[in-house]
Amino acid sequence: MLDKIKSMADNEKFKAAGAKIKNIFQFGRELCKNAYKYIYSIFDSGGKALYEMGISANTVTVAGFIIGLLAINFLAMNMFGYALLCILINRACDALDGAIAKYAGKTDFGVFLDAALDYMFYAGVIFGFALANPPQNAVAAVFLMFGFIAAAASLLSYAIIAYKNNAPQQPEIGTSPFYLGGIAQGSETFAALIILCIVPNLFMPIAIILGCLSLVKAFSVIVTAYYNFVIAPRKKSQAGADNVSSAS
């Protein structure tokens, strides 16, 4: 069996197919990167224009949140097209308020308001899908909410302790070997919401998958917190003690 796999790997056609797949992935990555830069430039220009008009980032945040909440009503009435429109406007406002804050300057309350209303918005949309078809969606929606709250609570708890311990002197969350990065973050959730508005019958499997990813994310943050707040300081103090003993 191993010889067969090795011969396949050495086969020129196999190598060519592998190289072709690799090129396709690289092309896709470049395409996404260029698209992101283009979209970012649009929102950056829009944010600058709104800032010059005297519109604050908090105003855009609240307006986007109110429009986003309308998605709950449309989801409950199975008007998924209008719900998707509200979701897209909400996410556009989320990008615009960041662009405005770039020029006006970030404030502690602005950062808090943006994060708090984002969590409320995502929770509300999950609730809306449960209302759309309670017999089919309710249990999956509760499970997704469970995973969503677990991930949010673990991240927020980590941030509280990091701030309490003077964040600039603490290791960043990404420095831990146990942190899983962007899994179950805003981009995945946003993509899932778009798919669900287009194909609402897929809510149950997608909600279960996203809920599982959120729970994995929560567990990774807990393990990361133990590493950064317990193991890393212990290693640092041990290294300091070793340096003192070697110097003496």
Side-chain angles (χ1 to χ4, degrees):
M1 184 67 180
L2 291 174
D3 292 336
K4 188 174 181 181
I5 294 173
K6 186 177 180 181
S7 63
M8 286 178 62
D10 293 335
N11 188 284
E12 292 298 326
K13 289 184 178 179
F14 185 84
K15 289 181 178 179
K20 189 174 182 180
I21 293 172
K22 184 178 179 181
N23 290 334
I24 291 173
F25 273 108
Q26 288 179 343
F27 175 76
R29 287 177 62 186
E30 287 298 320
L31 191 65
C32 290
K33 187 186 294 185
N34 293 333
Y36 174 80
K37 288 180 179 178
Y38 178 71
I39 294 172
Y40 175 83
S41 65
I42 293 175
F43 281 110
D44 187 66
S45 299
K48 185 178 180 180
L50 291 173
Y51 165 70
E52 292 173 347
M53 292 167 60
I55 299 175
S56 69
N58 291 345
T59 300
V60 174
T61 300
V62 173
F65 174 69
I66 293 171
I67 294 171
L69 286 184
L70 293 176
I72 301 174
N73 179 61
F74 289 125
L75 288 169
M77 295 189 296
N78 289 281
M79 300 173 67
F80 296 103
Y82 289 106
L84 177 58
L85 179 62
C86 291
I87 291 170
L88 292 174
I89 293 173
N90 172 273
R91 294 297 83 200
C93 288
D94 187 59
L96 281 172
D97 63 15
I100 296 171
K102 173 184 172 182
Y103 293 98
K106 291 183 179 180
T107 64
D108 290 341
F109 178 72
V111 173
F112 160 79
L113 185 67
D114 182 53
L117 296 188
D118 270 356
Y119 283 122
M120 293 181 197
F121 162 73
Y122 280 119
V125 171
I126 296 170
F127 175 55
F129 275 106
L131 294 176
N133 190 344
Q136 180 177 320
N137 293 349
V139 174
V142 171
F143 176 72
L144 177 55
M145 191 72 77
F146 167 52
F148 176 75
I149 292 173
S154 60
L155 284 167
L156 290 175
S157 299
Y158 182 96
I160 290 169
I161 301 302
Y163 180 80
K164 172 180 170 290
N165 292 337
N166 193 354
Q169 296 178 10
Q170 284 293 328
E172 293 293 334
I173 190 169
T175 62
S176 167
F178 306 105
Y179 184 61
L180 298 181
I183 185 174
Q185 294 280 82
S187 56
E188 290 90 342
T189 306
F190 180 46
L193 293 181
I194 293 175
I195 294 171
L196 288 172
C197 285
I198 297 172
V199 192
N201 290 332
L202 293 178
F203 178 80
M204 183 180 290
I206 291 179
I208 292 172
I209 292 170
L210 199 58
C212 289
L213 289 175
S214 297
L215 289 174
V216 170
K217 179 62 172 282
F219 180 74
S220 79
V221 173
I222 292 170
V223 177
T224 294
Y226 183 77
Y227 177 85
N228 282 351
F229 298 141
V230 178
I231 297 176
R234 188 182 298 165
K235 286 182 177 180
K236 188 176 180 180
S237 61
Q238 183 62 42
D242 291 343
N243 289 336
V244 171
S245 61
S246 62
S248 59

